[in-house]
Amino acid sequence: MLPGRQNRNIKRISKWIIGIAAACILIYLAASNISGILAELSSFAGLFMPLIIGAVIALVINVPMRSIEKRLFPKTTRPRLIRFRRPLAIISAEILVFGIFVLVAALVIPELVKAVALLSGNLLSFVDRLAQLESTIDFSKLPFGNYLSQIDIDWNEIRTSIEQLVRSQGMNAFNTALNTAGSVAGGLLNFVIGSVFAIYALFHKEKLQSQAKRLISAWLPSKAARQIFHISSVCGETFRNFIAAQTTEALILGSMCALGMMILRLPYVPMISALVGVTALIPVIGAFIGTIVGAFMMLTVDPIKTVIFVVFLLILQQIEGNLIYPKVVGASIRLPAMWVLAAVTVGGSAGGPFGMLVGVPTASALYTLIREATEHREQKLASEPGSEAPPAPESTADAVKPEGSG
């Protein structure tokens, strides 16, 4: 080996060793000060929170806005109508998205409060009936009556305990509501600024996209720029397809729920069907949340109908999870069922319901990018001399939703 080439190899190996050592030191320092680093990152993210909220709002609003804009004056050549097409599409999309959530909240929250109050009152009445029944029943005519008559139950104490529990939980709920109201009031300014930022971003989205491409192309190598453009394209397409398909699936599930409840003559049809449809936007467990809340409210009206409702929803979710979801959403996310569940679990732990909603399209985009990179790597290895042909790629036929998911 030539001395010059040997020196270059030594320098390259030395750089690798120094780089690995520096990376290990940085990882150790980061792990040792993880709490401080997270606090600083949280403070730094708080500075840009209105912009982050605006970006999220813009991503969500952009999905219906694109569809609405295509249908507004599609054949017109009048400049004035063309100029008003984008603002009308933005306003219509915001009214549609925010109106749905406001309507569902207006339907559900008052009835849920009434259900809690009614259930607590029914529970106290049930305790009174049990106390009255104990004083009138003849235990001698019952099996093991002698043993049952020796059981001394202080129903007044039980009733007092229930009243204290309801009162304390009511105060906790009131304090929680006050804290929530304070948090909402504190975040209202960020939401308003974010909404304004979202409107500007949507109105000038083509210009922003062009500027971002110019900056990336000017300051990054061409290969890195192409990779960023491809990643952005995959993420954007995956998110749009997921939101559109998940919304369609939620509308179908909510409509089927309303139709079935009307046939079975169950109460709270508009409220519960709207709640089930909206919560179905959360993959896998969303419809179960709607089922639990709906069953709780229906329990205050008729326990028998509550059982019928739960059985009906379980059957409906099986039909939806095995027939509707694979056709409507399965083809759009292209993500195996196991990774859908993993994305929902991790997303829910990180960001609650919003994390569940964002976790699936994020995992789908990562899955697509990793699969493309793996296929490219396999083709590169297969083209090398003396290499064996790689195995056939995994089929995406299992990219469907788990059974009973919403």
Side-chain angles (χ1 to χ4, degrees), residues 300-311:
T300 61
V301 177
D302 191 336
I304 301 300
K305 289 185 177 181
T306 304
V307 176
I308 296 174
F309 168 75
V310 172
V311 173

Side-chain angles (χ1 to χ4, degrees), residues 134-169:
E134 185 190 25
S135 62
T136 58
I137 193 171
D138 187 4
F139 288 99
S140 62
K141 297 181 179 180
L142 296 176
F144 307 102
N146 295 330
Y147 297 100
L148 293 175
S149 61
Q150 296 176 4
I151 299 176
D152 185 17
I153 301 176
D154 191 347
W155 296 106
N156 291 327
E157 182 179 354
I158 294 176
R159 195 180 196 284
T160 303
S161 300
I162 293 175
E163 289 177 344
Q164 292 176 352
L165 177 63
V166 171
R167 197 177 299 114
S168 63
Q169 291 302 318

Side-chain angles (χ1 to χ4, degrees), residues 246 249 253 279-288 317 320-321 325 401-402 404-406:
Q246 192 73 28
E249 188 262 347
L253 182 62
T279 55
L281 291 172
I282 303 174
V284 180
I285 66 171
F288 286 104
Q317 288 170 17
E320 178 261 347
Y325 195 95
K401 196 178 185 182
S405 54

Side-chain angles (χ1 to χ4, degrees), residues 94-160:
E94 287 193 340
I95 292 175
L96 177 64
V97 172
F98 292 120
I100 290 174
F101 288 99
V102 171
L103 178 62
V104 173
L107 286 172
V108 173
I109 293 177
E111 294 296 334
L112 186 59
V113 173
K114 291 180 183 178
V116 172
L118 182 60
L119 186 62
S120 60
N122 290 343
L123 185 59
L124 293 175
S125 300
F126 179 69
V127 172
D128 291 337
R129 286 198 297 268
L130 287 178
Q132 187 177 16
L133 181 64
E134 185 190 25
S135 62
T136 58
I137 193 171
D138 187 4
F139 288 99
S140 62
K141 297 181 179 180
L142 296 176
F144 307 102
N146 295 330
Y147 297 100
L148 293 175
S149 61
Q150 296 176 4
I151 299 176
D152 185 17
I153 301 176
D154 191 347
W155 296 106
N156 291 327
E157 182 179 354
I158 294 176
R159 195 180 196 284
T160 303

Side-chain angles (χ1 to χ4, degrees), residues 40-343:
E40 293 296 329
L41 289 176
S42 177
S43 301
F44 183 76
L47 298 176
F48 297 92
M49 188 55 65
L51 302 184
I52 296 173
I53 294 174
V56 173
I57 294 174
L59 285 173
V60 175
I61 298 295
N62 183 55
V63 177
M65 190 203 76
R66 285 163 55 95
S67 179
I68 294 172
E69 190 175 13
K70 291 178 182 178
R71 291 166 173 79
L72 286 177
F73 323 120
K75 298 181 180 180
T76 186
T77 57
R78 299 173 61 180
R80 180 174 295 181
L81 292 179
I82 294 175
R83 189 166 59 250
F84 280 102
R85 181 184 294 163
R86 176 65 59 84
L88 288 175
I90 294 175
I91 294 172
S92 302
E94 287 193 340
I95 292 175
L96 177 64
V97 172
F98 292 120
I100 290 174
F101 288 99
V102 171
L103 178 62
V104 173
L107 286 172
V108 173
I109 293 177
E111 294 296 334
L112 186 59
V113 173
K114 291 180 183 178
V116 172
L118 182 60
L119 186 62
S120 60
N122 290 343
L123 185 59
L124 293 175
S125 300
F126 179 69
V127 172
D128 291 337
R129 286 198 297 268
L130 287 178
Q132 187 177 16
L133 181 64
E134 185 190 25
S135 62
T136 58
I137 193 171
D138 187 4
F139 288 99
S140 62
K141 297 181 179 180
L142 296 176
F144 307 102
N146 295 330
Y147 297 100
L148 293 175
S149 61
Q150 296 176 4
I151 299 176
D152 185 17
I153 301 176
D154 191 347
W155 296 106
N156 291 327
E157 182 179 354
I158 294 176
R159 195 180 196 284
T160 303
S161 300
I162 293 175
E163 289 177 344
Q164 292 176 352
L165 177 63
V166 171
R167 197 177 299 114
S168 63
Q169 291 302 318
M171 290 301 298
N172 291 336
F174 180 73
N175 295 331
T176 303
L178 288 179
N179 295 332
T180 303
S183 301
V184 170
L188 184 61
L189 180 61
N190 289 341
F191 181 80
V192 172
I193 297 174
S195 300
V196 174
F197 175 77
I199 293 174
Y200 276 105
L202 291 171
F203 194 79
H204 302 286
K205 64 177 184 177
E206 290 83 5
K207 184 177 180 180
L208 292 173
Q209 185 178 9
S210 175
Q211 291 175 344
K213 287 184 176 180
R214 288 179 57 191
L215 285 173
I216 293 173
S217 300
W219 292 97
L220 293 179
S222 58
K223 183 177 180 181
R226 287 195 302 270
Q227 290 178 346
I228 291 176
F229 295 153
H230 178 65
I231 292 172
S232 302
S233 176
V234 170
C235 293
E237 182 181 1
T238 301
F239 187 83
R240 288 193 301 269
N241 292 340
F242 172 78
I243 292 296
Q246 192 73 28
T247 303
T248 303
E249 188 262 347
L251 289 173
I252 294 173
L253 182 62
S255 301
M256 293 176 63
C257 179
L259 181 61
M261 290 181 68
M262 285 189 293
I263 293 173
L264 295 172
R265 300 183 182 276
L266 299 175
Y268 300 127
V269 174
M271 178 188 58
I272 293 180
S273 57
L275 178 64
V276 170
V278 170
T279 55
L281 291 172
I282 303 174
V284 180
I285 66 171
F288 286 104
I289 298 175
T291 302
I292 293 172
V293 177
F296 174 77
M297 289 187 291
M298 200 174 295
L299 185 64
T300 61
V301 177
D302 191 336
I304 301 300
K305 289 185 177 181
T306 304
V307 176
I308 296 174
F309 168 75
V310 172
V311 173
F312 163 68
L313 256 295
L314 291 176
I315 296 174
L316 179 61
Q317 288 170 17
Q318 292 298 318
I319 296 173
E320 178 261 347
N322 291 282
L323 298 178
I324 300 174
Y325 195 95
K327 298 292 183 183
V328 177
V329 186
S332 68
I333 62 175
R334 301 172 184 175
L335 189 65
M338 178 182 67
W339 298 118
V340 171
L341 183 59

